[in-house]
């Protein structure tokens, strides 16, 4: 059983406590880690499931990242083995080879297919699974939880609904959802890095069901987040809401992006032009 020992005074590391603390985790002492203090055995035990993540060795960066110019302090963790999908679940055409043949055949097309009532009902089932699993993953996103664990939750829920996680093996993508932390723009790969207090996290979910893809994503604040990053998330959400409110029959498709830019630019933000949107459906 872990016991903690008295040290110099500090503030309790248990989330929401804030009391003066003089007790330190013995494992941190043994590993010569940055001191972490607790005010009591109860706070220490209550925080153990999250706190123990700091004892894990820092992941080494894979050789192909050695000369990569990172935009910030975030570094990739270790990838777990690719998760499997039961044989009876219907798959998209790229599930085995990684090559989206149907997408390639459509490349260059300027036609936007309008769905009929039956197609919309089939899509709704896929969309509902995506929304439900996004909420499930969001509730699990807390300090100390790895993005790989979020991927496991997403994967297991989707296949339990006899659906396929669309990202899995799309052009070789190795996971069942995308998790983009802090300075990662989009399409981050879930790995062994535990989420940290103050992170902002985007979880991007795509589901293939009844022959139709759905797609949904959302930003999550991990613990107490710096106000300047909270503002970024808030302004971005406001822009999304304004764009959605504009979407109705007869609205010009091109105006969606203009509405978003017009809202974020006055706040000192800009839209990332290196990536663009995509459709859903077949």
């Amino acid at each position: 059983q872990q016991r903690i020992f008295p040290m110099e005074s500090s503030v309790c590391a248990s989330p929401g406590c804030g009391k003066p603390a003089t007790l330190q985790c013995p494992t941190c002492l043994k590993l010569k880690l940055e001191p972490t203090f607790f005010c009591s055995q109860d706070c220490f035990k209550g925080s153990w499931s999250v706190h123990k993540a700091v004892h894990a060795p820092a992941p080494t960066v894979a050789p192909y990242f050695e000369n990569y110019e990172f935009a910030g302090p975030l570094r990739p963790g270790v990838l777990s083995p690719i998760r499997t999908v039961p044989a009876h679940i219907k798959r998209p055409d790229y599930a085995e080879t990684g090559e989206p043949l149907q997408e390639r055949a459509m490349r260059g097309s300027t036609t936007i297919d309008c769905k009929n009532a039956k197609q919309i009902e089939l899509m709704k089932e896929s969309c509902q699974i995506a929304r439900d699993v996004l909420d499930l993953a969001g509730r699990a996103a807390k300090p100390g939880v790895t993005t790989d664990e979020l991927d496991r939750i997403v994967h297991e829920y989707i296949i339990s609904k006899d659906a396929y996680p669309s990202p899995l093996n799309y052009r070789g993508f190795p996971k069942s959802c995308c998790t983009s932390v802090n300075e990662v723009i989009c399409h981050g790969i879930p790995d062994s890095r535990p989420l940290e207090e103050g992170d902002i996290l985007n979880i991007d979910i795509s589901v293939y069901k009844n022959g139709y893809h759905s797609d949904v994503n959302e930003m999550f604040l991990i613990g107490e987040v710096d106000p300047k990053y909270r503002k970024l998330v808030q302004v971005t959400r406001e822009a999304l809401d304004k764009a959605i409110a504009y979407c109705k029959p007869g609205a010009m498709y091109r105006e969606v992006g203009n509405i978003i830019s017009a809202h974020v630019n006055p706040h000192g933000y800009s839209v990332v032009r290196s990536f663009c949107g995509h459709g859903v459906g077949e």
Side-chain angles (χ1 to χ4, degrees):
Q1 182 180 5
Q2 291 277 10
R3 300 290 294 177
I4 49 181
F5 301 103
M7 296 288 288
E8 59 186 278
S9 180
S10 187
V11 176
C12 184
S14 181
C17 179
K19 295 179 180 178
T22 59
L23 305 176
Q24 189 180 1
C25 167
T27 304
C28 289
L29 286 170
K30 180 179 179 181
L31 296 175
K32 299 181 180 179
L33 300 176
E34 180 98 11
T36 305
F37 296 91
F38 297 90
C39 67
S40 67
Q41 287 284 346
D42 287 340
C43 269
F44 175 65
K45 292 176 182 177
S47 302
W48 177 250
S49 61
V50 173
H51 172 68
K52 66 181 180 181
V54 306
H55 303 148
T60 55
V61 176
Y64 46 82
F65 280 116
E66 285 182 356
N67 298 315
Y68 185 82
E69 294 186 8
F70 291 95
L74 190 72
R75 295 294 181 271
V78 177
L79 298 185
S80 63
I82 295 176
R83 295 182 166 87
T84 59
V85 176
H88 72 276
I89 291 177
K90 185 175 180 180
R91 291 156 159 74
D93 62 359
Y94 55 80
E96 302 301 329
T97 66
E99 288 297 320
L101 301 178
Q102 187 176 4
E103 176 189 296
R104 182 182 297 173
M106 293 280 294
R107 186 168 295 168
S109 173
T110 58
T111 301
I112 298 177
D113 183 34
C114 292
K115 309 300 183 188
N116 59 40
K118 182 178 179 181
Q119 290 173 314
I120 290 173
E121 285 304 311
L122 290 172
M123 285 185 65
K124 280 183 177 179
E125 186 176 357
S126 178
C127 291
Q128 188 62 61
I129 295 170
R131 178 71 253 183
D132 290 344
V133 74
L134 178 60
D135 290 341
L136 184 66
R139 288 193 294 271
K142 299 177 181 178
V145 176
T146 66
T147 50
D148 185 65
E149 172 64 10
L150 299 181
D151 184 77
R152 181 193 65 78
I153 291 170
V154 168
H155 182 90
E156 292 183 359
Y157 183 87
I158 291 174
I159 65 173
S160 76
K161 299 298 182 181
D162 287 336
Y164 184 93
S166 298
L168 189 61
N169 206 34
Y170 173 77
R171 298 186 182 275
F173 191 84
K175 293 297 173 182
S176 297
C177 68
C178 302
T179 53
S180 303
V181 181
N182 299 340
E183 65 265 28
V184 177
I185 296 172
C186 63
H187 304 154
I189 302 174
D191 61 24
S192 62
R193 177 192 180 273
L195 294 170
E196 298 177 359
E197 186 87 9
D199 283 345
I200 58 174
L201 166 71
N202 182 270
I203 304 177
D204 191 347
I205 305 290
S206 300
V207 174
Y208 184 72
K209 175 77 173 180
N210 301 324
Y212 293 89
H213 295 277
S214 59
D215 190 289
V216 64
N217 75 88
E218 190 168 346
M219 293 296 300
F220 296 92
L221 305 178
I222 308 302
E224 291 298 320
V225 174
D226 188 299
K228 65 180 179 182
Y229 302 131
R230 295 179 71 93
K231 181 184 176 184
L232 170 65
V233 174
Q234 179 62 36
V235 170
T236 305
R237 178 54 191 260
E238 292 168 358
L240 174 65
D241 290 341
K242 285 178 177 290
I244 291 173
Y246 172 77
C247 293
K248 57 179 67 67
M252 298 296 290
Y253 184 70
R254 67 189 181 204
E255 278 302 308
V256 173
N258 292 334
I259 289 169
I260 292 171
S261 291
H263 183 72
V264 304
N265 289 352
H267 293 277
Y269 306 135
S270 62
V271 174
V272 177
R273 297 180 181 273
S274 300
F275 298 91
C276 59
H278 58 82
V280 294
E282 297 173 279

